[in-house]
Amino acid sequence: MHDERRRIEERVERLHNQRIKPALYAATVPLDIAAWQAPGEPVPFAEAAAAPYEPFVTGTPWGPPWGTTWFRMHGRVPENWAGRRVEAVIDLGFVGDWPGNQAEALVHLPDGTPLKAVNPLNQYVPIAHPAGGGERVDYLVEAASNPDILANDFAGPTPLGDVLTAGDAPLYTFRRADLAVLDEDVFHLDLDLHVLRELMAELGEHEPRRHEIMHALDHAMDLLDLDDIAGSAPAVRAALAPVLARPAHASAHIVSGVGHAHIDSAWLWPIRETKRKTSRTFSNVTALADEYEEFVFACSQAQQYEWVRDAYPKVWARIQEAVERGQWAPVGGMWVEADGNLPGGEALARQLIHGKRFFIEHFGIETKGVWLPDSFGYTAAYPQLAKLAGNEWFLTQKISWNQTNAFPHHTFWWEGIDGTRIFTHFPPVDTYNACFSGEEMARAVRNYREKGGATRSLAPFGWGDGGGGPTRELMERARRLRDLEGSPKVEVEHPDAFFAKARAEYEDAPVWVGELYLELHRATYTSQARTKQGNRRSEHLLREAELWATTAALHAPGYAYPHEQLDRLWKTVLLYQFHDILPGSSIAWVHREAEAEYARVAQELETLTAEAMAALGGGGARVFNTSPFDRAEVVRTADGTPVYVRVPAHGSAALTGTGTPPCPVEVSQRVLDNGLVRVEVAADGTLASVRDLRAGREVLADRGNLLRLHTDLPNYWDAWDIDKHYRNRYTDLLEPDSVTVVERDPLIGAIRVERSFGKGSRITQTITVRAGSPRIDFETEIDWHEAEKILKAGFPVDIRAPHSSAEIQFGHIQRPTHTNTSWEAARFEVSGHRWVHIAEPGYGVAVINDSTYGHDVTRTVRADGGTTTTVRLSLVRAPRVPDPGADQGRHRFTYSLLPGASIEDAVAEGYALNLPLRSADSAGAPRPVVSTEGDGVTVEAVKLADDGSGDVIVRIYESRGGRSGGLLRTGFPLAEAHLTDLLERPLGPTDTHGNTVPVTLRPFEIQTLRLTVDGT
């Protein structure tokens, strides 16, 4: 047989695209249109309905950046359309085919009922099926003119990312608003051709099935009447029916499809626009559920449900109905799809607590899995936290984006730092926005790494990132792919059903131990430093407010624990941990609002804490310690005088001074010496020497606190990525403006180094040593005006460390310092929380911070045979896309060097730096709510139970990485104690002895204790 593939394929392509697609609508009539431009921010429906409208014609430009234009549309279905499927078709002037970052609209009925949204891939609104003829159509359409931030493929910065800089020139030209008759035979023929053409293209040239499809298509096109596409469509479909009816092979891979509409809670649009996106997408999804009874839609992020509940009650009611029918699946059990690395341990717990509770309270459903397809790597603390929240499975997709190494599994057991395992899957289709294309289905089979052990994978389908969701076209594709030779079988089902089947057939799946590190987007540990600092500070302020509010509730008669206020503040902080806000990868508008919101949260929490302390009564000025460790530190009185105080964990002490340090601080020229460490500052402002006087050894192998300014232009994704070549070009900041002793006191010595550099940037660092502590603080102020640069602070330490240890949620993770394999080499920038620790047997050093996450650790062998291990903190970046002003301006933060540190020291000082001792006037001296005995038993949270019972909730964990045993002692009469899950539901009673609770913890184990106060 002659090879006619090219002729046939080109013939089918032309007829499909140029004749069949244009024939989808058999007849059209235009709608009458009037328009009103809403001033400023979006307005409620009632205000828009009462506004004055002006006549509007298609072809007219409309929509300033971030504007809202309301269109009033009306018309009448022609009498001769009776019995046919009639739709309104609206084209706002869409650009490209991505629904998420351009013009979008929500169509309302005259009474304000949201009906359906329109976007590039979903332009229709159903009128009637069949239409009665003569039916009147009246719509009020809320259209958002969101700018296309992705234009030019992120090639350069744009001012469109903030309403303050975007201008007011119209962005779109209105193209169409018609009533139209959908020709259902042509509609289905279009889908038949899509599925068969794409399947054919993926089959091998020597496979008979490919040629069978090709010739069937050729024959079917012979039946197409070019003068009567609609009339001949049934015959064409009939000719294709046999090849569409051929069943899949018995061994065909099974794809479990679940509807999905990934809606970033903020990214290239502000939060206020996400609130509207949810209403649009959820309206479309509930409409689709009415049309396709087998449809199942998975939706995470309780925050988005709450937005719809509060602002769009009619859409909320439709969601509830779809959940009741089993067509809508709440998943994920988190408040938002948070970043997978940066939120603190307690914050990740609260993400799960608030998310799970929302779905239980509003739908009576307890979600079974963590749904995080798009976060930029995943902490090794997740398996334990997920299990403690009652989850059975974990889903991600992002690891498929790895820049260097292909992840070896798609279905596996993920083991966390404590040994907890959770059944995990990431879809081999390599997207969470699947569209059931032939290429995607072939990719899923080709990629799937579990062949021979398992047979199925998951495919979340629907347009996403900015919403959109599944469409009827995708559902029709799924129907055709249900059982089709040459393709995997597609089953639309609930994610829980997929995971149950996957686990049943693959219980002995392989195990992956430790973090799921994404070999991409490593700059998200550093970009938008003020946003990250706001998160870190908010987490610790929440801890303080809860602890002291609990103390006051137990010891101050009449004090009312602020349940509702704390709940609201927690949810605000959780929202801003979304995986495009906290990582620093959003537009300027988002980060401007985040910084303002963090300031508001801080002010409110400071007030709550002050009120709780004031409620404790008289007793004079005192110092309060929120840390879980006893402290002996230098603090200042109201007039600035330094005093040395000892304060118990979770307790207080008189501010007058309660102890004497071992020896005073001596300051001479550029030397600080407190008898524990001796710090010599060089003339260039770096550390010439740090001598640990206790160990009798020099800490540094080279100049310390070396500030290095690197050129930082990644290949793509500016705010997200830092590529390895950044290391090749840099400037060391070695020419200070001044090096000056600024404090000379027996309790505090400080030297200030000031520098000017780059494009008008300045950095001021105060190097401080305090009596009684080996910790060296670097209080840093930066006025930053660089572009496409990253600033790092390096500490080359004379230690041969085989690995570094970095704090993560409820523990720490070890990473090799060598680069033996491509996996280690790919970790050239990593994340950590409050500290990084390096050690050789008998000696260690920690680098501690109050708001920094990104860092790198490298090692070299010197000419003398010794090894230098260098820890470098990533302080601030200057990407220009998507926020051209990212990180510009002032920053204030502190990092510290802790010589002679064990892991226990690093943990304690990490808490100390992030939870400064707090002074308050006229405060009493109640006993600490709880205290602990036993190495490694660390208290992470103290609060009252969320159910209002008055029970005290204490969350503890083992912080060293070893087995621990000890006691938890209460400062109140204890009636009974229970171990609970994260949602504070009892798992069983635990022993008590008076006011003590014995505790036993395995390495990094988390326990939540519910303590009932004895009120007798």
Side-chain angles (χ1 to χ4, degrees):
M1 183 181 292
H2 297 299
D3 186 355
E4 293 196 283
R5 286 174 300 168
R6 180 174 177 181
R7 176 191 66 80
I8 295 171
E9 290 174 8
E10 290 178 350
R11 178 196 188 197
V12 175
E13 180 181 17
R14 181 175 186 184
L15 290 174
H16 188 191
N17 292 335
Q18 296 183 12
R19 298 306 174 91
I20 295 171
K21 284 181 179 295
L24 281 171
Y25 288 104
T28 64
V29 295
L31 289 163
D32 292 325
I33 313 171
W36 173 68
Q37 173 68 48
E41 288 296 285
V43 301
F45 175 87
E47 183 176 341
Y53 284 74
E54 299 291 336
F56 185 90
V57 297
T58 56
T60 301
W62 71 279
W66 306 113
T68 301
T69 303
W70 286 80
F71 295 100
R72 192 183 295 278
M73 302 179 185
H74 65 88
R76 191 174 297 277
V77 177
E79 296 286 350
N80 61 351
W81 288 5
R84 308 176 76 180
R85 182 163 182 158
V86 180
E87 301 176 345
V89 182
I90 301 170
D91 184 345
L92 302 171
F94 300 119
V95 294
D97 61 1
W98 180 39
N101 195 41
Q102 59 166 298
E104 301 175 73
L106 181 61
V107 180
H108 300 76
L109 293 175
D111 65 358
T113 300
L115 186 60
K116 187 177 174 297
V118 291
N119 60 52
L121 295 165
N122 206 335
Q123 298 183 18
Y124 75 96
V125 181
I127 302 297
H129 184 211
E135 180 179 346
R136 180 172 174 81
V137 176
D138 286 292
Y139 292 145
L140 208 57
V141 180
E142 181 190 26
S145 48
N146 300 329
D148 182 9
I149 304 297
L150 280 177
N152 301 318
D153 201 27
F154 269 162
T158 173
L160 292 173
D162 197 330
V163 69
L164 302 180
T165 58
D168 57 7
L171 295 175
Y172 300 100
T173 300
F174 200 106
R175 289 200 189 101
R176 179 182 188 185
D178 296 332
L179 293 177
V181 175
L182 178 69
D183 191 306
E184 295 188 75
D185 288 323
V186 177
F187 171 78
H188 286 289
L189 175 57
D190 174 48
L191 271 299
D192 292 345
L193 289 172
H194 265 297
V195 169
L196 287 172
R197 287 180 58 201
E198 291 175 352
L199 173 59
M200 177 182 67
E202 294 301 323
L203 293 170
E205 294 179 0
H206 303 292
E207 293 187 42
R209 176 64 166 160
R210 175 171 181 151
H211 293 270
E212 178 190 28
I213 295 172
M214 179 180 67
H215 287 287
L217 288 169
D218 193 30
H219 172 63
M221 293 303 98
D222 291 339
L223 303 177
L224 186 69
D225 186 343
L226 301 187
D227 296 321
D228 187 8
I229 301 296
S232 59
V236 178
R237 290 200 71 209
L240 294 174
V243 290
L244 282 166
R246 292 285 293 271
H249 297 304
S251 61
H253 183 73
I254 301 169
V255 172
S256 293
V258 59
H260 188 227
H262 186 72
I263 306 177
D264 287 318
S265 290
W267 179 29
L268 305 177
W269 47 85
I271 287 172
R272 69 92 148 145
E273 195 56 33
T274 310
K275 295 177 181 179
R276 300 201 292 179
K277 283 177 177 291
T278 57
S279 69
R280 298 176 196 130
T281 294
F282 295 172
S283 296
N284 284 357
V285 168
T286 53
L288 195 65
D290 291 338
E291 192 170 354
Y292 292 88
E293 62 180 13
E294 75 271 29
F295 177 57
V296 178
F297 178 71
C299 186
S300 66
Q301 306 198 80
Q303 171 69 89
Q304 294 184 4
Y305 286 75
E306 185 176 80
W307 286 334
V308 173
R309 183 200 67 189
D310 294 345
Y312 299 91
K314 293 182 179 179
V315 177
W316 172 251
R318 283 153 56 182
I319 292 172
Q320 290 178 307
E321 292 169 3
V323 171
E324 186 69 24
R325 294 194 305 267
Q327 290 187 281
W328 186 296
V331 294
M334 295 179 69
W335 191 246
V336 296
E337 289 185 13
D339 179 81
N341 289 308
L342 305 180
E346 189 60 25
L348 271 191
R350 303 298 175 98
Q351 288 281 358
L352 291 160
I353 291 165
H354 285 292
K356 296 266 290 190
R357 279 216 188 107
F358 185 93
F359 295 133
I360 291 170
E361 291 172 5
H362 293 284
F363 301 116
I365 290 174
E366 179 159 1
T367 54
K368 295 183 179 180
V370 177
W371 183 277
L372 274 178
D374 192 34
S375 292
F376 311 141
Y378 304 89
T379 171
Y382 253 125
Q384 183 179 193
L385 286 167
K387 281 295 187 70
L388 288 173
N391 292 298
E392 299 173 0
W393 54 260
F394 190 98
L395 177 131
T396 176
Q397 182 272 323
K398 203 69 172 187
I399 301 302
S400 67
W401 286 41
N402 271 5
Q403 195 175 46
T404 304
N405 299 284
F407 195 77
H409 314 297
H410 284 105
T411 302
F412 56 99
W413 289 98
W414 181 19
E415 182 178 310
I417 53 173
D418 73 309
T420 299
R421 292 179 177 178
I422 192 165
F423 195 73
T424 302
H425 178 74
F426 78 84
V429 72
D430 279 0
T431 179
Y432 49 81
N433 296 324
C435 62
F436 293 133
S437 69
E439 189 276 331
E440 286 179 349
M441 295 297 95
R443 184 199 316 152
V445 175
R446 183 174 59 249
N447 282 356
Y448 190 56
R449 290 180 172 266
E450 317 310 322
K451 297 182 184 76
T455 63
R456 60 183 67 241
S457 65
L458 190 70
F461 69 91
W463 309 108
D465 285 335
T471 62
R472 62 186 177 187
E473 289 80 9
L474 300 189
M475 285 303 299
E476 291 291 341
R477 287 178 178 232
R479 284 180 170 180
R480 287 159 174 79
L481 294 171
R482 184 180 299 156
D483 192 12
L484 181 62
E485 182 185 356
S487 171
K489 300 176 183 179
V490 172
E491 298 177 357
V492 177
E493 62 182 350
H494 194 296
D496 287 347
F498 160 76
F499 274 96
K501 294 172 184 176
R503 179 169 174 176
E505 74 170 0
Y506 204 35
E507 185 70 31
D508 60 345
V511 177
W512 180 268
V513 179
E515 66 182 328
L516 293 177
Y517 177 84
L518 178 62
E519 296 174 359
L520 197 72
H521 293 358
R522 303 167 181 90
T524 58
Y525 316 144
T526 304
S527 297
Q528 298 284 4
R530 284 185 293 269
T531 295
K532 290 174 170 59
Q533 186 176 53
N535 174 74
R536 177 79 70 85
R537 190 72 186 117
S538 295
E539 290 177 347
H540 288 82
L541 286 170
L542 280 161
R543 176 195 179 101
E544 288 190 276
E546 287 184 336
L547 172 65
W548 301 115
T550 302
T551 306
L554 292 171
H555 297 295
Y559 176 83
Y561 188 87
H563 282 284
E564 292 184 5
Q565 198 170 356
L566 287 168
D567 181 80
R568 173 175 50 79
L569 290 167
W570 260 116
K571 288 175 178 174
T572 299
V573 174
L574 298 181
L575 167 59
Y576 283 93
Q577 291 177 341
F578 178 75
H579 65 252
D580 273 308
I581 304 178
L582 184 52
S585 49
S586 290
I587 56 173
W589 190 344
V590 173
H591 292 289
R592 172 169 58 82
E593 285 192 340
E595 291 173 30
E597 196 69 3
Y598 283 132
R600 186 195 64 77
V601 166
Q603 183 177 25
E604 196 168 346
L605 287 170
E606 291 282 2
T607 299
L608 283 180
T609 299
E611 289 172 350
M613 290 178 172
L616 293 171
R622 298 186 70 80
V623 178
F624 289 78
N625 174 17
T626 313
S627 164
F629 297 93
D630 297 344
R631 310 258 289 269
E633 292 183 16
V634 176
V635 297
R636 296 183 187 274
T637 61
D639 64 1
T641 302
V643 295
Y644 187 76
V645 295
R646 298 181 184 275
V647 196
H650 302 144
S652 66
L655 185 56
T656 54
T658 57
T660 303
C663 61
V665 178
E666 296 181 0
V667 182
S668 58
Q669 294 184 335
R670 296 191 303 271
V671 176
L672 306 172
D673 187 331
N674 67 355
L676 302 175
V677 292
R678 184 179 187 276
V679 180
E680 181 181 344
V681 179
D684 60 17
T686 64
L687 301 186
S689 171
V690 174
R691 187 147 189 93
D692 186 338
L693 302 177
R694 300 162 302 173
R697 63 182 287 171
E698 174 61 43
V699 175
L700 299 177
D702 202 342
R703 60 183 65 166
N705 193 39
L706 175 63
L707 298 174
R708 179 167 286 179
L709 187 67
H710 293 264
T711 297
D712 178 23
L713 183 65
N715 294 342
Y716 197 55
W717 302 103
D718 291 20
W720 291 259
D721 285 349
I722 179 170
D723 287 333
K724 202 169 188 176
H725 54 251
Y726 87 91
R727 292 180 174 177
N728 301 337
R729 187 175 179 85
Y730 58 85
T731 300
D732 290 340
L733 304 185
L734 298 175
E735 298 180 4
D737 299 333
S738 63
V739 180
T740 311
V741 173
V742 292
E743 186 146 22
R744 193 189 302 265
D745 184 275
L747 294 180
I748 301 179
I751 296 172
R752 182 166 297 155
V753 181
E754 298 182 273
R755 305 179 189 275
S756 302
F757 62 94
K759 299 180 179 180
S761 298
R762 289 186 58 82
I763 182 167
T764 300
Q765 290 197 301
T766 304
I767 305 167
T768 303
V769 171
R770 295 173 176 83
S773 172
R775 197 180 86 195
I776 306 157
D777 290 344
F778 301 84
E779 300 169 43
T780 304
E781 298 183 26
I782 302 179
D783 188 10
W784 181 248
H785 299 286
E786 303 308 300
E788 297 170 346
K789 297 288 192 296
I790 184 170
L791 181 66
K792 285 191 167 251
F795 293 93
V797 180
D798 188 8
I799 283 178
R800 182 170 175 80
H803 60 259
S804 64
S805 299
E807 186 188 41
I808 62 171
Q809 301 85 348
F810 295 105
H812 59 266
I813 189 169
Q814 294 182 343
R815 300 180 177 108
T817 55
H818 62 73
T819 55
N820 281 357
T821 71
S822 58
W823 293 87
E824 284 110 23
R827 286 175 167 85
F828 58 84
E829 181 80 2
V830 292
S831 65
H833 282 217
R834 291 171 291 210
W835 52 265
V836 182
H837 182 264
I838 55 174
E840 60 189 22
Y843 194 80
V845 170
V847 178
I848 301 164
N849 71 84
D850 70 359
S851 58
T852 303
Y853 295 87
H855 66 275
D856 68 86
V857 182
T858 58
R859 70 177 187 182
T860 59
V861 176
R862 304 186 299 271
D864 64 1
T867 299
T868 300
T869 303
T870 301
V871 178
R872 299 198 311 156
L873 297 181
S874 300
L875 302 182
V876 65
R877 294 187 73 229
R880 303 179 68 208
V881 177
D883 175 7
D887 282 316
Q888 298 299 300
R890 296 188 178 276
H891 303 264
R892 294 190 64 178
F893 51 85
T894 299
Y895 56 89
S896 307
L897 182 69
L898 186 64
S902 63
I903 290 290
E904 295 92 325
D905 296 330
V907 172
E909 290 299 324
Y911 276 107
L913 184 63
N914 284 269
L915 290 166
L917 294 174
R918 178 185 290 270
S919 59
D921 291 330
S922 301
R927 296 178 61 190
V929 176
V930 293
S931 57
T932 60
E933 298 176 14
D935 294 339
V937 179
T938 304
V939 176
E940 178 62 13
V942 178
K943 58 188 285 293
L944 289 192
D946 291 337
D947 61 7
S949 63
D951 288 352
V952 177
I953 302 297
V954 180
R955 194 143 22 247
I956 61 175
Y957 72 105
E958 197 289 314
S959 59
R960 300 174 307 162
R963 190 171 299 273
S964 291
L967 295 175
L968 181 79
R969 190 180 307 277
T970 66
F972 55 87
L974 180 63
E976 59 182 5
H978 288 80
L979 281 173
T980 75
D981 65 4
L982 289 185
L983 277 69
E984 302 173 9
R985 299 175 297 196
L987 301 174
T990 187
D991 291 338
T992 61
H993 302 287
N995 289 345
T996 63
V997 181
V999 294
T1000 301
L1001 298 170
R1002 67 176 182 269
F1004 299 130
E1005 182 183 4
I1006 305 165
Q1007 288 184 3
T1008 303
L1009 293 163
R1010 186 182 186 111
L1011 310 175
T1012 301
V1013 180
D1014 188 347
T1016 59

